[in-house]
Amino acid sequence: MKFETLAIHAGQEPEPNNGAVMTPVYFTSTYKQNGVGKPRQGYEYSRTKNPTRLALEHCLAALEGGSFGLAFASGLAATDTVLRLLNSGDHVLAGNDVYGGTFRLFDKVLRRFNLGFTFADTTDPESVADALTASTRLVWLETPTNPLLRVTDIRAVAEIVHAHPNRPLLAVDNTFATPYLQRPLELGADMVIHSMTKYLGGHSDVVGGAVIVKDKELAERLFFLQNAVGAVLGPMDSFLVLRGIKTLPVRMDRHAENASVLVDFLARHPKVEKLIYPFHESHPQQKIARRQMKNGGGMISFLIKGGRESAVRMVEAAKLFTLAESLGGVESLIEVPAAMTHLSVAGSQLDVDPSLVRLSVGIENQDDLLEDLRQALEYA
Ligand SMILES: *Cc1c(COP(=O)(O)O)cnc(C)c1O
């Protein structure tokens, strides 16, 4: 079946007892057993397995072209569980423009457990080759990145990583693109990671994360860790993401359509110093983006003239664009990453320009969005 059909049906069957079309929210922590050590249908305890979560996990696997999906309490919980595949002394090579919270987890938490991290420019596959060491076990990519929308050629990096004698695992954070726009497993990645808080949920009402893999042995190690560490997604949140995913294709098309109208406007605006959008002709990796993504997505970043003051005045003047962190919901959001989402990387090599403004373009009417940006830019 094709993507749009899978988004609505994968992992979901009408409930056998009463025919309910929507997957029920199984609010249960435990399950009656048929006899000692004889669980029914493999359900014993909801940290290990819950039917609502399982439906979502099957759906995620289908959408990413994987074989196994795992749902977690947040994107960072998913990331943390993946990192527990490693042993003390192992080295991780990560992109130098990863999500601020990912950087903080790697640099401020996991370093204390004797994992080594190098942050390299993954948009240049050669610099990935140069930064691999004899102890590298994991390569962590994000594409497009948050907030600079840098694009990495997943296939080119996969070839380099897999040619290395260690055969490190390649993980791709696919939060910004979603499986509708880009499927990293088909381009050679071993694992896909999501913050489902963003486009997969799509309605700014849930925090969740996911890991999707193809390989059975890797999946078994991750399922062990998911249960042993315990940062699982609850049944209500699983239901909300399942529901959100049903409209993912139509939402993503509209996000991108609206974004392209705003991109044309911003590219010509005298107060915009530099526009960043993966499918815009000025983007340095535009060709790669067009090859590996279906459309340019709903995220736009731009540098505004007049520095931090100007950026702050503009975002505070926006009315329809809500001043808020996060992204990927149906409603448009605006923020200044250096002072908000990316404060945790201030002073590090991932530092963000204070005049950068990030838009998460929603699916409201294009003219209303344009009008709001037009009036807000007058305050810049
Ligand atoms: C938000 C985000 C995360 C973290 O996910 P949470 O659900 O907030 O824990 C990871 N990667 C990217 C690209 C994100 O935007």
Side-chain angles (χ1 to χ4, degrees):
M1 280 185 283
K2 300 285 197 299
F3 192 92
E4 293 79 357
T5 311
L6 292 172
I8 293 169
H9 295 287
Q12 296 153 81
E13 291 287 339
E15 213 277 322
N17 292 330
N18 52 33
V21 168
M22 291 307 301
T23 305
V25 186
Y26 286 94
F27 281 124
T28 188
S29 59
T30 189
Y31 307 83
K32 178 177 161 61
Q33 306 205 2
N34 288 336
V36 175
K38 289 185 193 152
R40 302 179 186 203
Q41 297 166 28
Y43 293 104
E44 294 168 46
Y45 186 61
S46 277
R47 172 166 21 80
T48 321
K49 207 164 148 188
N50 173 282
T52 317
R53 195 178 88 220
L54 195 66
L56 171 62
E57 292 177 331
H58 286 160
C59 183
L60 291 165
L63 295 185
E64 283 288 1
S67 308
F68 305 93
L70 300 96
F72 294 90
S74 69
L76 285 178
T79 304
D80 180 64
T81 304
V82 166
L83 270 284
R84 287 166 196 261
L85 290 165
L86 305 181
N87 294 311
S88 170
D90 287 349
H91 174 255
V92 179
L93 170 58
N96 65 1
D97 186 31
V98 292
Y99 172 68
T102 304
F103 176 75
R104 180 175 55 195
L105 173 65
F106 290 179
D107 189 57
K108 298 283 189 306
V109 180
L110 296 172
R111 269 196 211 279
R112 293 195 287 110
F113 296 86
N114 196 32
L115 290 174
F117 292 92
T118 303
F119 297 91
D121 178 8
T122 57
T123 63
D124 171 18
E126 286 311 308
S127 67
V128 173
D130 292 345
L132 290 169
T133 74
S135 51
T136 307
R137 297 283 164 200
L138 176 68
V139 174
W140 187 277
L141 290 187
E142 204 178 293
T143 180
T145 60
N146 179 359
L148 295 175
L149 305 176
R150 290 189 181 136
V151 171
T152 290
D153 184 337
I154 299 172
R155 196 187 288 282
V157 169
E159 277 166 17
I160 288 168
V161 169
H162 295 154
H164 192 262
N166 282 353
R167 181 68 180 67
L169 292 166
L170 175 61
V172 176
D173 182 334
N174 202 27
T175 299
F176 268 39
T178 82
Y180 181 60
L181 305 192
Q182 163 177 290
R183 276 181 293 284
L185 297 177
E186 290 170 2
L187 301 171
D190 299 295
M191 280 181 272
V192 169
I193 286 80
H194 279 283
S195 168
M196 302 195 294
T197 315
K198 317 294 168 55
Y199 288 108
L200 293 182
H203 297 74
S204 307
D205 53 9
V206 62
V207 172
V211 181
I212 299 105
V213 300
K214 256 189 184 156
D215 181 72
K216 185 155 190 276
E217 190 263 342
L218 179 58
E220 277 164 7
R221 289 165 66 203
L222 287 165
F223 279 120
F224 172 81
L225 289 169
Q226 183 191 36
N227 182 52
V229 178
V232 295
L233 194 67
M236 187 67 215
D237 294 344
S238 297
F239 174 86
L240 286 171
V241 179
L242 265 178
R243 183 160 88 165
I245 284 175
K246 289 178 193 289
T247 55
L248 179 69
V250 283
R251 282 189 286 110
M252 292 313 291
D253 283 341
R254 181 62 72 86
H255 282 301
E257 224 175 89
N258 282 357
S260 73
V261 170
L262 301 187
V263 160
D264 287 344
F265 167 74
L266 290 167
R268 279 183 261 116
H269 199 283
K271 285 184 178 164
V272 173
E273 178 76 43
K274 184 182 174 212
L275 170 84
I276 311 172
Y277 186 69
F279 271 36
H280 192 256
E281 59 199 13
S282 63
H283 194 288
Q285 293 102 26
Q286 191 217 160
K287 275 211 185 98
I288 298 161
R290 286 186 185 269
R291 196 167 64 223
Q292 71 185 14
M293 292 168 68
K294 185 182 171 81
N295 66 41
M299 300 300 296
I300 303 173
S301 292
F302 58 95
L303 292 170
I304 204 163
K305 288 184 186 156
R308 186 195 142 89
E309 292 300 302
S310 173
V312 168
R313 270 199 308 273
M314 187 228 159
V315 303
E316 288 181 354
K319 294 188 179 110
L320 179 54
F321 276 85
T322 303
L323 177 61
E325 299 193 356
S326 198
L327 61 109
V330 290
E331 61 288 303
S332 295
L333 304 179
I334 191 166
E335 67 132 356
V336 179
M340 296 172 65
T341 47
H342 288 69
L343 203 54
S344 66
V345 300
S348 78
Q349 68 181 107
L350 279 76
D351 220 346
V352 182
D353 190 311
S355 69
L356 188 80
V357 174
R358 189 187 79 178
L359 304 179
S360 173
V361 180
I363 63 171
E364 300 95 335
N365 180 278
Q366 292 171 0
D367 297 336
D368 292 339
L369 293 174
L370 260 183
E371 185 43 43
D372 193 39
L373 281 190
R374 197 191 318 270
Q375 69 82 21
L377 276 162
E378 281 172 19
Y379 292 83

